[in-house]
Amino acid sequence: MSTTVFFNIIQIFLGLIFLRYVYNTIYKAYFGPLSKIPGPKLFALHRFFFDGKLLSGNRWRLVQFVFRPKYGSIIRVAPEAILISDRDEIKKLIVIEDFPKAPRYAGVRRELQAETLFTATTKTFHKERRRLLSPAFAMKYLTSLDPLIKICIRDLIIKIDQTIEKEGSNVSGVMINIYGILLNCALDVIGETAFGGKFDMILTGTHPLPYEAGEALRRRLARTISPLLKPFFGDREYLYTFVGDLVKKRRQETNPSRQDILQIVLDAQKESGMTDLEVFDQTVEFLIAGSDSTAFCTAMAIITLARNKEKLQKLYDELKAAIPSVDPDNLPDHETLKRLPYLNAVIYESLRLYPATFGTNIYALHHSTEYWGEDVNEFVPERWLDPENIPRDAYMPFSAGSRNCIGQNFALLEIRLIIAALVSRYRIVDIPGQDLDIVQFLAPRLRNRKYNMGFAFRK
Ligand code: HEM
């Protein structure tokens, strides 16, 4: 066979493969089982169009403000992806049918096969891992983590106090980057409760571990684009060494001094035969799942309060009656805080307006006039004071069903303590003219991790 004929055959062969691909793509988009679901037809051709929009961080805006009004509560956004914001359909999917998570979650694993609680796609694995780790987040156990969380809130107050004392305060107080400082606080809290000690992010502003955990996540996501990228985006050594040393040190203690999340994971290891790498994966996962999300929610609650002065005053009045004074060595008691109706109402309402969710379209569920009424976009904590007002199944800031957030009580405890401490101790003033530029890559956050607010001591 001549070379020309050989190349012609190869060309025809490749041409046929290409045609088959084009045919399948078009067939799936226009005639496949999902073709009846409304959505942008271009996006139905290839996942690339929807994924590509993620790079700017503004994909959530496109979904909420362009697609949702145009296509309704069930939208096809890729050949095999739909977004749902109808409460009955969401419930059916994640509670009643309890569908497993999509295979794409594997992308954030260390290795494609290395399942973790958050990324588990196998039901049996998830059930067992959840059973093993649940004690770390049980309400009773959280009470013993309370003093560890307070160590970090103490730092938060000391840091803000020092800034006010150093810079003096004018009418609107000293400028504090509320988002930055609350992110540091959330990182310190996970450090203190799951990594044997806070990272001192609040006091020093830097520690390699949180950076390295974020870097590992970015590298893992990059690897999902193509396995060929693995040599360029491999994991770095630091995380493994840090966690490895920590675990070794803890195991050497005959009578572990700290009953923290790390200890629960190590106890679970004894019971289940988890490998050291699995212990590593699980602790790093808590850092990733629990820091940006909690920081975002706490910061949005404080910012929204400061923008609604009457509500801020109402909260202050409630706190003042319940906890007369707050200082670094006298922080509010969570047992008292969890019973304060307006504090809880503020937190629930802020989580409604700014949910830190992934997956299904919870943002649209929380912003639906059909469920919440005409004031859906307003900050109305009062709606939470009467449980009858809350629409059933239309509120899921921590998701629902078997894959709901294992850390939700932990997060609520932390958010209550922080908001109560800040509102009781400081006069907090919004500084107008700043953009609340929310971007979402995995969880939502403020674009530059920055929002300045005025802080002064309350008289
Ligand atoms: C306000 C703060 C938080 C919010 C809004 C939040 C929200 C969520 C949501 C919506 C999910 C479901 C995700 C999905 O379906 O893919 C989830 C799962 C999870 N969250 Fe959170 N979370 C918060 C704080 C935390 C904290 C503090 C931790 C741990 C220390 C944590 C650990 C986890 C884990 C491990 C899962 C996976 C649970 C499972 O699949 O069984 N979260 N979270």
Side-chain angles (χ1 to χ4, degrees), residues 188-260:
D188 275 349
V189 165
I190 302 279
E192 190 67 43
T193 52
F195 287 84
K198 62 190 160 86
F199 302 128
D200 273 340
M201 290 295 293
I202 299 172
L203 296 180
T204 67
T206 169
H207 188 289
L209 192 93
Y211 174 78
E212 289 293 334
E215 182 61 18
L217 185 64
R218 281 186 286 278
R219 285 167 172 258
R220 287 172 191 184
L221 289 172
R223 295 200 296 253
T224 60
I225 299 170
S226 163
L228 295 175
L229 291 172
K230 196 166 176 184
F232 308 101
F233 291 101
D235 281 358
R236 304 207 292 202
E237 215 28 61
Y238 178 88
L239 268 187
Y240 295 92
T241 316
F242 185 96
V243 180
D245 289 350
L246 183 70
V247 167
K248 208 160 118 198
K249 214 167 110 208
R250 182 64 68 87
R251 283 209 191 103
Q252 281 162 356
E253 292 175 17
T254 34
N255 227 340
S257 50
R258 293 167 78 95
Q259 278 307 313
D260 55 9

Side-chain angles (χ1 to χ4, degrees), residues 172 307 309 429-435 451-454:
S172 48
R307 289 179 163 195
K309 288 187 193 139
V429 182
D430 185 39
I431 299 175
Q434 295 177 85
D435 209 2
Y451 191 90
N452 286 329
M453 307 197 80

Side-chain angles (χ1 to χ4, degrees), residues 101 105 117-118 126 130 290 293 358 398 403-405 410:
K101 273 189 173 171
Y105 275 86
L117 185 65
F118 189 86
H126 176 263
R130 181 101 181 192
S293 51
F358 337 80
F398 295 103
R403 302 308 294 266
N404 72 354
C405 177
F410 181 99

Side-chain angles (χ1 to χ4, degrees), residues 22-62:
V22 172
Y23 170 81
N24 279 344
T25 306
I26 294 176
Y27 182 84
K28 224 192 241 177
Y30 288 91
F31 308 103
L34 300 186
S35 62
K36 299 273 178 301
I37 299 175
K41 271 291 172 244
L42 182 68
F43 282 42
L45 290 173
H46 199 281
R47 176 105 220 172
F48 161 82
F49 295 105
F50 191 54
D51 286 355
K53 295 284 176 196
L54 192 62
L55 296 177
S56 67
N58 282 325
R59 185 171 83 182
W60 74 276
R61 279 183 213 280
L62 179 72

